[in-house]
Amino acid sequence: TTLRSQLAMMQCDLSGRVAVVTGGASGIGRAAARLLARHGAKVFVGDLRLLDENAEEFADLEIVQRECDVRSEASIAQLIDGAVAEAGQLDILVNNAGIGMVKQITDVTEDDWAACIDTNLKGPFFGCKHAVRHMQVGGGGVIINTASNAGLLPRAHDPVYSISKMALVAMTKSLALCHARDRIRVNCVCPGPVGDTRMMDDDLDLATDRNAAVEQMISASPLAAAHQRMETSEEIAQAILYLVSDAAAMVTGTSIAIDGGKSQGVPPHA
């Protein structure tokens, strides 16, 4: 092993740190929880629907699972306060829980609006609120919000979802500015089409032709089209690992697009 790789491993060593991951039972959240745990963090996963399939692996990684509805401030507070009560501190929060909303504005009901905004924006906001309380006492920490390329550019097919994610990017920047003095870093990742996630599966279930829908999503991202595949949850998790690590000690308020170039503009024709 070279000195460079040893130094890289040291910067990603999360031993002694405590992390909470919402939406951690599947997809990006599960990949992030696994990766943080493998790098030494004590991880607490919150999810509305815990999955039995995770029990054995999470037990091996000493990941604690708790039911959590991020639409409820009390539920988020209980998840975070419970982690601190058990582990003694909070160093990392990954606000990952989210839902999609593929509807035009004329079809959106008040309940639709509440479900999307409460899950994608209210949940991360109150997650940040309760994490900050503990991180201020603990001398700092890192918060990662899972946004989307929909937070970087308008999308015609899901305006409410885009609103929620654009607001999440703005909230990330605002809180990064507010709490730099507390040594709390706040960043977000902005994925494009990620396969094998609960949100992606829900969207594809609405399609009349699932295979055609997959091809359309891949073709919308030039790098994804070049590789002929969607992004993976593990690729997003690697970005999260970097952002929570000491390698990113001076990175705050940033939005990392991991979307195959989708948010760069209109791609060239083949």
Side-chain angles (χ1 to χ4, degrees):
T1 304
T2 65
L3 177 59
R4 181 177 297 178
S5 61
Q6 286 177 336
L7 289 171
M9 285 300 295
M10 287 172 60
Q11 288 184 316
C12 289
D13 182 8
L14 304 178
S15 299
R17 301 186 199 184
V18 178
V20 169
V21 181
T22 68
S26 63
I28 295 169
R30 178 168 60 190
R34 288 167 171 166
L35 192 59
L36 298 184
R38 286 172 184 150
H39 281 264
K42 174 63 179 177
V43 179
F44 292 81
V45 158
D47 205 291
L48 188 62
R49 289 178 286 171
L50 300 177
L51 302 178
D52 291 339
E53 66 193 58
N54 294 326
E56 183 176 351
E57 183 180 17
F58 280 13
D60 290 342
L61 293 170
E62 298 184 350
I63 295 173
V64 178
Q65 298 188 79
R66 297 281 186 265
E67 286 190 5
C68 178
D69 184 348
V70 299
R71 296 169 297 182
S72 160
E73 181 183 2
S75 185
I76 297 168
Q78 185 176 31
L79 173 66
I80 292 174
D81 292 348
V84 173
E86 184 170 335
Q89 65 196 58
L90 178 68
D91 305 284
I92 298 164
L93 170 65
V94 182
N95 280 313
N96 174 74
I99 63 170
M101 179 66 66
V102 181
K103 283 189 176 183
Q104 291 302 302
I105 189 170
T106 49
D107 298 322
V108 173
T109 66
E110 189 172 358
D111 286 344
D112 291 334
W113 169 269
C116 189
I117 298 299
D118 286 359
T119 306
N120 294 354
L121 184 59
K122 175 185 169 183
F125 176 83
F126 285 107
C128 289
K129 171 186 171 179
H130 291 282
V132 163
R133 289 193 299 109
H134 294 292
M135 290 176 178
Q136 284 175 322
V137 174
V142 189
I143 297 171
I144 308 297
N145 297 316
T146 301
S148 166
N149 63 53
L152 303 175
L153 78 170
R155 300 201 317 199
H157 64 287
D158 52 6
V160 178
Y161 178 77
S162 294
I163 289 166
S164 71
K165 294 301 185 179
M166 285 184 175
L168 185 57
V169 170
M171 186 186 84
T172 297
K173 294 178 182 294
S174 295
L175 295 182
L177 191 60
C178 290
H179 294 289
R181 64 186 178 184
D182 299 314
R183 296 186 181 182
I184 298 172
R185 299 189 293 107
V186 189
N187 293 290
C188 64
V189 291
C190 297
V194 180
D196 295 324
T197 66
R198 192 177 288 171
M199 184 186 299
M200 178 61 71
D201 288 341
D202 288 346
D203 285 348
L204 292 175
D205 286 344
L206 298 174
T208 53
D209 186 330
R210 189 183 182 92
N211 291 333
V214 169
E215 287 301 316
Q216 185 178 17
M217 289 181 182
I218 291 173
S219 65
S221 299
L223 196 57
H227 286 281
Q228 279 300 293
R229 67 170 178 83
M230 290 191 188
E231 299 142 37
T232 68
S233 294
E234 288 70 25
E235 287 169 328
I236 313 305
Q238 288 288 346
I240 292 172
L241 175 64
Y242 162 69
L243 288 171
V244 304
S245 75
D246 292 342
M250 286 294 167
V251 180
T252 195
T254 195
S255 308
I256 297 184
I258 316 162
D259 64 354
K262 185 175 181 180
S263 58
Q264 298 308 306
V266 180
H269 294 294

